């Protein structure tokens, strides 16, 4: 084999590996975003079973809100989130856009602005930060931290929610 032939084979193999790696990264990113979107869908539908499929049982939620000169932090568990879904009579719609997604092996994060509607009426906006882990069941949400801003929200690029 000549050096030229070896170089050509090397380039083909390297290009193939890079393409495969990029495709796998995009696939992992898409799966992570799909899991977060399923979190929102399950909440809107009060779908307890779907929520339990994509959430780590002992996961946590942290809501932060600026109140005058102090930061108010509320901690919740996924267990309490599930109980609220079971009892919910309201329609809750949360939508995110422009997510920043990081995937490293079996850990992923999603950070995105969001808006939140209760019974079709705007409630608040903010920023969501999801942490996920990949296991045998796929991606699972392990924690959600978010800001709550009742006022001063820029209009969503998604427009008004569909009814």
């Amino acid at each position: 084999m000549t050096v030229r032939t070896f170089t050509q084979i090397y380039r083909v193999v390297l290009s193939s590996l890079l393409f495969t790696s990029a495709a796998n990264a995009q696939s992992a990113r898409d799966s992570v975003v799909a899991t977060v979107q399923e979190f929102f869908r399950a909440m809107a539908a009060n779908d307890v079973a779907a929520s339990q499929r994509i959430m780590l049982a002992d996961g946590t939620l942290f809501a932060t809100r600026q109140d005058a000169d102090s930061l108010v932090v509320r901690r919740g568990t996924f267990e309490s989130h599930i109980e609220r879904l079971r009892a919910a009579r309201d329609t809750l719609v949360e939508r995110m856009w422009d997510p920043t997604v990081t995937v490293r092996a079996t850990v992923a994060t999603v950070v995105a602005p969001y808006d939140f509607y209760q019974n079709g009426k705007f409630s608040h906006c903010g920023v969501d930060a999801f942490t996920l882990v990949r296991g045998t069941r796929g991606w699972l949400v392990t924690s959600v931290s978010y800001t709550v801003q009742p006022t001063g929200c820029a209009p969503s690029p998604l427009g008004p929610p569909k009814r």
Side-chain angles (χ1 to χ4, degrees):
M1 180 182 316
T2 68
V3 171
R4 184 175 182 186
T5 304
F6 177 78
T7 302
Q8 289 172 330
I9 291 171
Y10 175 77
R11 285 183 181 158
V12 168
V13 169
L14 183 60
S15 294
S16 176
L17 288 172
L18 290 174
F19 177 77
T20 301
S21 177
N24 287 341
Q26 184 62 41
S27 175
R29 181 191 187 285
D30 292 347
S31 295
V32 167
V33 170
T35 301
V36 172
Q37 292 292 10
E38 177 61 7
F39 181 92
F40 296 145
R41 188 212 62 76
M43 181 176 60
N46 296 327
D47 188 340
V48 170
S51 291
Q52 290 173 321
R53 277 193 301 275
I54 60 161
M55 294 174 12
L56 194 65
D58 57 351
T60 55
L61 297 127
F62 290 94
T64 65
R65 177 188 296 225
Q66 192 67 42
D67 189 18
D69 292 334
S70 64
L71 178 67
V72 177
V73 179
R74 191 178 81 231
R75 180 186 183 279
T77 64
F78 285 173
E79 184 178 308
S80 63
H81 175 76
I82 293 295
E83 290 309 311
R84 278 193 305 278
L85 283 181
R86 272 196 183 100
R89 299 292 176 249
D90 293 335
T91 301
L92 307 175
V93 174
E94 184 167 352
R95 308 174 312 157
M96 72 171 180
W97 57 90
D98 297 330
T100 299
V101 181
T102 303
V103 179
R104 296 288 185 265
T106 59
V107 175
T109 59
V110 176
V111 177
Y114 77 93
D115 59 8
F116 189 88
Y117 292 79
Q118 185 171 355
N119 297 325
K121 182 180 177 199
F122 177 80
S123 172
H124 61 275
C125 70
V127 175
D128 279 328
F130 284 81
T131 304
L132 301 91
V133 296
R134 185 178 57 220
T136 56
R137 295 182 0 220
W139 290 103
L140 298 174
V141 178
T142 62
S143 68
V144 183
S145 297
Y146 57 98
T147 62
V148 176
Q149 294 174 240
T151 62
C153 301
S156 167
L158 304 174
K162 296 176 181 154
R163 296 196 182 256

